[in-house]
Amino acid sequence: MRLGLALGYWGRGPSADHLPLAQEAERLGYHSVWTAESWGSDVFTPLTWIAAHTTRIRLGTAVAQMAARSPTTTAMHALTLDHLSGGRMMLGLGLSGPQVVEGWYGRPFPKSPLTATREYVDVVRQVLRREGPVELDGRFHQHPYRGEDGTGLGKPLKPITHPLRADLPILLGAEGPKNIAQTTRIADGCLPLYWSPTRPGAYEAALSDLPADFLVAPMAHVRVCDDVAKGLLPVKAMLGFYIGGMGHAARNFHADLMARMGYEEEARLIQELFLAGHRQEAVLAVPDAFADEISLVGPRERIAERLELWRKGPVTDLLALSPDPHSLRVLAELNS
């Protein structure tokens, strides 16, 4: 099992710690570093900055939101950064949810998410392969555009720039069983959310027959500390926000995933509290047990014991959300 560093997205502003953490992860032998985006900083610019200050570590997006860019624009970002970094790019894509897609990007959330995702990946792959002009007469993506409000003058094009790699890895952030099953067919890897090595049922069926070299790369908070309950507080804060606020009360993919993992009553309570404005209560309502099983938190010996559970499953890459170099170093030593 390889290790990656997940930096997430910026909050109020850029973090002064991100570049030093990425450089330390490279020094420690981590395989990859990953950035993210929500409705603030974008995913590619920080990754390009990191690429310019590192030499070996792979560079991944976890995730680039599909609604933020046309698939050809995303492919342009990926092939450009792949060239500039000497072939280190890994493209992680995610559909996001209705609140973000419609509220932030001002676009309709696709009524058929699986079809929209499949078409998006198809276009990106056509660009990267550069076997001919990009053409797709899809339900959600048309190249050239054929809508009634168009001029009809669109011409099929292929990229001027020759991609460095036609097989640049594409990973998908997938939560639902059907989405995960499709991901195993059209992508090179999966970026699961809330992975529990002791509760594989949420993903087990969809990941039961994986293609060769398929990547399974979940994120996990990693913190070496003496007080487990205190160390879990950042995890609970994240869960409270995602379960409670990253989605509508009637359609929240993160809450649905938590429910499938055996915490349905708790997930609905977190939603109710958060949406009612009781954010601190929502965080406190997150069960310690759930936060703990999807994380690696506690003394070194405890993390070592729990890390063995992660090794036994299908996980190929553990992406560590870790706030300090010491935790990164301990994880690297334990995984060596």
Side-chain angles (χ1 to χ4, degrees):
M1 186 177 68
R2 301 178 302 195
L3 297 179
L5 169 65
L7 295 173
Y9 48 80
W10 293 358
R12 192 166 190 166
S15 172
D17 297 332
H18 280 186
L19 180 57
L21 281 173
Q23 291 173 323
E24 177 66 3
E26 180 174 70
R27 190 189 69 79
L28 292 169
Y30 277 60
H31 175 261
S32 56
V33 56
W34 302 75
T35 55
E37 63 187 2
S38 54
W39 49 91
S41 60
D42 80 280
V43 71
F44 287 105
T45 307
L47 200 62
T48 304
W49 184 254
I50 292 169
H53 291 83
T54 55
T55 58
R56 300 182 308 279
I57 197 166
R58 301 293 199 281
L59 309 157
T61 56
V63 294
Q65 295 183 331
M66 295 184 222
R69 306 163 189 88
S70 71
T72 48
T73 306
T74 295
M76 288 166 62
H77 278 294
L79 74 85
T80 301
L81 185 48
D82 202 41
H83 269 291
L84 293 174
S85 66
R88 291 189 279 152
M89 181 67 198
M90 304 171 73
L91 180 61
L93 301 170
L95 199 59
S96 192
Q99 278 198 329
V100 176
V101 172
E102 297 183 1
W104 181 247
Y105 295 114
R107 303 183 59 186
F109 187 79
K111 289 183 171 59
S112 178
L114 293 179
T115 302
T117 299
R118 187 167 59 252
E119 291 179 2
Y120 199 102
V121 172
D122 184 354
V123 173
V124 172
R125 289 211 187 274
Q126 286 191 52
V127 174
L128 294 176
R129 289 170 179 156
R130 201 178 179 272
E131 294 172 346
V134 176
E135 292 191 77
L136 181 69
D137 187 14
R139 178 178 174 185
F140 300 97
H141 298 284
Q142 296 180 351
H143 298 266
Y145 181 68
R146 298 179 178 87
E148 293 182 358
D149 56 344
T151 65
L153 302 177
K155 176 184 177 182
L157 300 169
K158 64 180 179 181
I160 297 171
T161 304
H162 291 232
L164 184 65
R165 294 180 295 162
D167 58 350
L168 187 154
I170 298 175
L171 297 88
L172 296 177
E175 297 179 41
K178 292 181 179 179
N179 196 356
I180 297 170
Q182 174 174 270
T183 297
T184 65
R185 297 192 300 270
I186 68 172
D188 303 299
C190 179
L191 295 160
L193 192 65
Y194 310 152
W195 182 275
S196 171
T198 61
R199 201 185 300 265
Y203 296 101
E204 194 169 36
L207 295 176
S208 59
D209 187 21
L210 294 177
D213 301 322
F214 189 84
L215 304 178
V216 180
M219 294 185 192
H221 280 263
V222 178
R223 183 184 290 266
V224 179
C225 60
D226 294 328
D227 189 333
V228 175
K230 185 176 180 180
L232 287 173
L233 286 177
V235 186
K236 295 179 66 170
M238 176 273 295
L239 287 169
F241 177 59
Y242 272 69
I243 302 299
M246 289 284 275
H248 190 271
R251 195 168 190 185
N252 184 314
F253 302 133
H254 310 307
D256 293 344
L257 175 58
M258 183 178 175
R260 288 197 302 275
M261 295 179 75
Y263 294 92
E264 183 171 4
E265 291 184 11
E266 295 87 343
R268 303 313 169 199
L269 175 60
I270 294 166
Q271 277 189 295
E272 291 174 10
L273 290 170
F274 193 97
L275 295 174
H278 306 302
R279 296 194 173 192
Q280 187 58 33
E281 290 88 341
V283 170
L284 295 177
V286 175
D288 281 7
F290 181 59
D292 192 29
E293 68 183 79
I294 64 172
S295 308
L296 288 165
V297 173
R300 179 188 178 105
E301 296 75 17
R302 185 175 193 266
I303 291 179
E305 180 180 345
R306 296 169 69 84
L307 187 62
E308 290 305 312
L309 298 175
W310 289 77
R311 294 174 191 262
K312 293 178 180 178
V315 174
T316 60
D317 296 77
L318 171 60
L319 311 186
L321 284 159
S322 186
D324 65 279
H326 175 63
S327 295
L328 291 180
R329 183 166 56 253
V330 169
L331 185 64
E333 292 170 356
L334 293 175
N335 196 56
S336 61

